[in-house]
């Protein structure tokens, strides 16, 4: 099975921002949309679907990790707001389904930018991941996973962001990746 978790918002307004103020406004709107799409609630429906299908492997795209830092400033945001992967794994476990991530790769890079709050600026950080989940509740003679791998593709799509200017600043790198494993499932 494969599922795209949807990161929760369209990032195009952030990439199209032409000024620092426009960037803050875009990140503020994107973060509001992420919250409105309510991933914890969506994860319940996804976990129901996965539990019903009962696949041995699940490929997951946009298993996003959203983090924040208050106030905004130097360093990287580390406070976890939403960990889509962990939320989904917890929902699966609550349904008696036991999976673990056997391969994971950060894709689309790792972005951080400020948003506006009533008390000032807060950095919001998006880390996009592709993950391969495997069942861990089956005996090895019925299902096994080996040689799990994950990597980014060598080529990438460069995007010039108006707020940064290309040139003189280098373009933003949008990287993609892959996950794989050798799975053994003997015939019934």
């Amino acid at each position: 099975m494969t599922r795209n978790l949807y990161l929760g918002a369209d990032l195009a307004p952030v990439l199209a921002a032409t000024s620092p103020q426009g960037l803050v406004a875009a990140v503020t709107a994107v973060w509001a949309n992420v919250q409105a799409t309510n991933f914890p609630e969506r994860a319940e429906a996804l976990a129901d679907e996965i539990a019903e299908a009962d696949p041995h492997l699940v490929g997951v795209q946009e298993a996003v990790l959203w983090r924040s830092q208050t106030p905004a400033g130097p360093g990287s945001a580390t406070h976890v707001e939403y960990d889509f992967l962990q939320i989904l794994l917890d929902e699966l476990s609550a349904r008696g389904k036991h999976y673990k991530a056997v391969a994971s790769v950060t894709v689309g890079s790792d972005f951080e930018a400020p948003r506006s709050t009533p008390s000032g600026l807060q950095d919001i950080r998006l880390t996009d991941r592709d993950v391969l989940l495997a069942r861990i509740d089956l005996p090895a003679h019925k299902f096994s996973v080996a040689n799990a791998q994950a990597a980014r593709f060598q080529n990438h799509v460069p995007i010039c962001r108006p707020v940064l200017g290309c040139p003189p600043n280098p373009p933003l790198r949008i990287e993609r990746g892959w996950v794989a494993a050798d799975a053994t499932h003997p015939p019934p």
Side-chain angles (χ1 to χ4, degrees), residues 85-162:
L85 175 60
Q86 191 59 55
I87 292 168
L88 179 60
L89 288 171
D90 290 347
E91 288 296 335
L92 287 166
S93 181
R95 287 155 179 76
K97 300 299 176 180
H98 305 285
Y99 289 86
K100 77 171 186 175
V102 294
S104 178
V105 63
T106 298
V107 296
S109 298
D110 193 344
F111 304 111
E112 185 169 337
R115 77 173 182 110
S116 180
T117 74
S119 59
L121 294 179
Q122 176 188 51
D123 281 343
I124 296 294
R125 181 176 175 191
L126 160 70
T127 304
D128 187 8
R129 303 168 293 183
D130 288 344
V131 179
L132 182 62
L133 303 177
R135 284 186 54 184
I136 57 172
D137 60 338
L138 297 172
H141 70 279
K142 291 195 174 199
F143 176 69
S144 64
V145 175
N147 195 29
Q149 301 175 55
R152 290 183 182 177
F153 292 111
Q154 288 182 337
N155 295 325
H156 64 276
V157 177
I159 296 179
C160 286
R161 291 179 43 206

Side-chain angles (χ1 to χ4, degrees), residues 7-144:
L7 58 91
D10 178 6
L11 300 179
V14 173
L15 297 174
T18 59
S19 69
Q21 298 83 1
L23 178 64
V24 169
V27 172
T28 302
V30 162
W31 183 243
N33 200 69
V34 167
Q35 292 174 307
T37 60
N38 194 349
F39 184 75
E41 185 176 296
R42 290 189 294 120
E44 291 175 15
L46 284 163
D48 287 343
E49 182 183 22
I50 294 169
E52 184 177 326
D54 206 26
H56 290 64
L57 295 169
V58 182
V60 180
Q61 302 83 43
E62 296 187 20
V64 174
L65 177 58
W66 286 102
R67 290 171 282 182
S68 66
Q69 175 180 293
T70 306
S76 294
T78 58
H79 174 75
V80 175
E81 296 287 343
Y82 298 108
D83 182 341
F84 286 14
L85 175 60
Q86 191 59 55
I87 292 168
L88 179 60
L89 288 171
D90 290 347
E91 288 296 335
L92 287 166
S93 181
R95 287 155 179 76
K97 300 299 176 180
H98 305 285
Y99 289 86
K100 77 171 186 175
V102 294
S104 178
V105 63
T106 298
V107 296
S109 298
D110 193 344
F111 304 111
E112 185 169 337
R115 77 173 182 110
S116 180
T117 74
S119 59
L121 294 179
Q122 176 188 51
D123 281 343
I124 296 294
R125 181 176 175 191
L126 160 70
T127 304
D128 187 8
R129 303 168 293 183
D130 288 344
V131 179
L132 182 62
L133 303 177
R135 284 186 54 184
I136 57 172
D137 60 338
L138 297 172
H141 70 279
K142 291 195 174 199
F143 176 69
S144 64

